[in-house]
């Protein structure tokens, strides 16, 4: 396998992993009410309330809030539907780097900036919305963890660009 083919394969594997995680993150935002009920039941079955009472109280509070919103103000949950949709739309954008990584490296760089933006968002909006700091740290971890495969992909794309253009593709118009 040539250097170009190995780099391209590595880029595509990392991008596929990132897209799968992005899609899963988005899809799970649709059924929040049911997911939180299942999560609470699972945590109770695992005796989490005895081990981590603060975490369990938070889960219960969020579940009650979602139940109330679902029963009395279901239109509020439409915001999480849009959040889910945004994840899916962003995932589609990665078709560009998958197809032509060098030309579309900007998509990867944009996503890296978005991952970095999670940290100030959680630090600013978390306290305003009454989110416990430990939960904001979990939220921030998505940006920190998400940037890792993107950084790897960007490095591989830059190495691919150094090798030169792919002789089998048509030049950009």
């Amino acid at each position: 396998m040539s250097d170009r083919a190995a780099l391209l394969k590595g880029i595509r594997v990392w991008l596929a992993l990132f897209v799968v995680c992005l899609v899963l993150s988005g899809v799970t935002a649709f059924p929040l009410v049911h997911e939180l009920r299942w999560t609470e039941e699972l945590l109770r079955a695992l005796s989490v309330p005895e081990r981590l009472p603060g975490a369990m109280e938070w889960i219960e509070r969020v579940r009650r809030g979602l139940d109330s919103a679902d029963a009395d103000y279901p239109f509020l949950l439409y915001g999480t539907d849009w959040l889910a949709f945004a994840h899916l739309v962003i995932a589609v954008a990665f078709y560009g780097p998958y197809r032509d990584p060098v030309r579309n490296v900007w998509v990867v760089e944009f996503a890296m900036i978005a991952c970095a933006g999670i940290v100030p968002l959680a630090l600013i909006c978390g306290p305003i919305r009454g989110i416990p700091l430990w939960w904001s740290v979990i939220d921030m971890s998505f940006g920190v963890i998400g940037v890792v495969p993107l950084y790897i992909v960007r490095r591989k794309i830059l190495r691919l660009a150094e090798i030169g253009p792919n002789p089998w593709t048509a030049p950009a118009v």
Side-chain angles (χ1 to χ4, degrees), residues 26-124:
V27 168
T28 59
F30 284 115
L32 279 182
V33 174
H34 301 293
E35 283 176 342
L36 207 51
R37 287 182 195 151
W38 298 330
T39 300
E40 186 178 4
E41 289 172 16
L42 177 65
L43 294 176
R44 288 189 189 291
L46 296 173
S47 303
V48 171
E50 292 81 31
R51 293 186 197 116
L52 298 168
M56 198 62 203
E57 289 171 15
W58 174 250
I59 295 294
E60 291 167 349
R61 181 174 183 216
V62 173
R63 195 247 328 127
R64 285 192 309 270
L66 282 173
D67 283 346
S68 177
D70 189 38
D72 300 327
Y73 310 102
F75 52 86
L76 291 176
L77 298 176
Y78 190 51
T80 62
D81 296 338
W82 279 102
L83 170 70
F85 178 72
H87 279 76
L88 300 176
V89 168
I90 293 167
V92 170
F94 283 91
Y95 176 69
Y98 187 90
R99 188 168 161 245
D100 188 345
V102 174
R103 186 183 299 175
N104 293 292
V105 67
W106 68 270
V107 175
V108 174
E109 294 168 342
F110 172 81
M112 291 173 75
I113 293 167
C115 284
I118 292 171
V119 174
L121 177 79
L123 290 173
I124 294 167

Side-chain angles (χ1 to χ4, degrees), residues 126-172:
I128 291 171
R129 302 291 184 204
I131 307 298
L133 179 61
W134 62 268
W135 191 266
S136 291
V137 171
I138 292 171
D139 289 340
M140 289 184 278
S141 74
F142 283 94
V144 173
I145 293 168
V147 82
V148 171
L150 295 170
Y151 177 77
I152 292 168
V153 166
R154 184 177 181 276
R155 284 186 51 213
K156 288 180 178 293
I157 290 172
L158 295 179
R159 282 195 306 210
L160 186 65
E162 288 174 3
I163 291 173
N166 184 349
W168 305 108
T169 59

